[in-house]
Amino acid sequence: MPPDAASDAAPDAAPDAIPEVAPAPAAHLIQGDRVTLPVEIRDAAVASAMFPIPAAAAQAVIAYSGLEVARPLAGRAICSLAFVRYADGDLGPYHEFAVAFLVKGTPRIGAFIHWLPVNQAFTLEAGRAIWGFPKEMADIHMDLAARTKRCLVRVDGRTAIEMHVRPGFPVPSGRGVPSVDAYTSMNGVTRRTPWTVSPSGVRMRLGGGTYLRLGDHPVAHELRALGLDHARALSAATVDRLRMTFQEAVEARP
């Protein structure tokens, strides 16, 4: 090729950039079905209450987790009790009861899930395998359609807990989507699960508004030792519709 022609020739084109491939979403095989994260809950209804309890006693209950209870009130920790009817979500419809404690997380206060009975086998296996949630099978009867919300939990024929919640005044649901860290501890491993919630139809009552009857299940004995058989709720709330998203769990090192 003559020198002039060589100088006029276009430089070699750069090789095409290799497109980035997004990582495949995490997935778990549960009872032959593929559960892909994040897990979405599109419609759930909730009734809950928060109780002030002695911090030292609460710390003893969750000592196995390596976490530390939060103390938003002088010398007092917070125990949250809630019952939930899941109507539409990636894990199917089911009922659930939750016993949780507010804990000091990183970087914010989180909820440590101590006990989480459910009434369906699929969500039980998924919850334990994916996030380490302490789910166990129970008979859970609830009525969220009546004015006073009611739930009764029985395990192996024994009453664990009965709870009633009277709705309070409507409160704004808020424009943002609150993010919460849910903590669990199973088989010596403590995990943190990022969890976002989007509530609507929220009613709240400050002080009272609840009824508790504790049975003879081991968790009922724990709650009784915390003084919940005669405790007055700090607050109570009902949610007509709650959307939730659960991300992949990561190991938490207290």
Side-chain angles (χ1 to χ4, degrees), residues 2 5 122 147 155 241:
F122 185 83
R147 173 67 178 171
V155 181
R241 186 175 186 185

Side-chain angles (χ1 to χ4, degrees), residues 59-79:
Q59 186 63 51
V61 170
I62 72 161
Y64 65 96
S65 69
L67 299 170
E68 182 180 352
V69 294
R71 294 170 170 82
L73 305 173
R76 311 290 281 179
I78 298 295
C79 178

Side-chain angles (χ1 to χ4, degrees), residues 28-205:
H28 298 262
L29 194 64
I30 306 296
Q31 297 183 359
D33 289 335
R34 182 182 175 89
V35 176
T36 302
L37 295 177
V39 163
E40 301 286 348
I41 305 300
R42 292 168 288 277
D43 186 6
V46 185
S48 65
M50 302 182 78
F51 298 86
I53 54 175
Q59 186 63 51
V61 170
I62 72 161
Y64 65 96
S65 69
L67 299 170
E68 182 180 352
V69 294
R71 294 170 170 82
L73 305 173
R76 311 290 281 179
I78 298 295
C79 178
S80 172
L81 304 181
F83 49 96
V84 189
R85 182 190 65 223
Y86 292 82
D88 179 21
D90 293 348
L91 303 182
Y94 62 98
H95 292 172
E96 177 181 272
F97 192 92
V99 175
F101 298 87
L102 296 188
V103 294
K104 295 180 179 179
T106 304
R108 55 179 176 261
I109 288 178
F112 176 71
I113 312 302
H114 178 58
W115 189 54
L116 200 65
V118 295
N119 70 340
Q120 295 296 327
F122 185 83
T123 186
L124 184 151
E125 183 176 331
R128 295 178 70 90
I130 298 173
W131 302 285
F133 282 131
K135 294 188 176 186
E136 69 170 290
M137 190 64 71
D139 294 321
I140 304 177
H141 302 278
M142 66 177 64
D143 182 0
L144 286 166
R147 173 67 178 171
T148 297
K149 317 305 178 185
R150 294 178 169 85
C151 180
L152 172 65
V153 182
R154 294 176 61 84
V155 181
D156 296 329
R158 295 189 298 172
T159 295
I161 188 169
E162 181 179 358
M163 180 175 175
H164 301 176
V165 175
R166 290 187 290 116
F169 294 100
V171 298
S173 299
R175 296 181 180 179
V177 178
S179 179
V180 181
D181 286 334
Y183 289 86
T184 61
S185 187
M186 182 176 289
N187 299 325
V189 179
T190 298
R191 299 176 176 86
R192 177 180 63 85
T193 299
W195 169 35
T196 56
V197 297
S198 179
S200 60
V202 180
R203 288 178 173 268
M204 182 169 289
R205 178 186 297 272

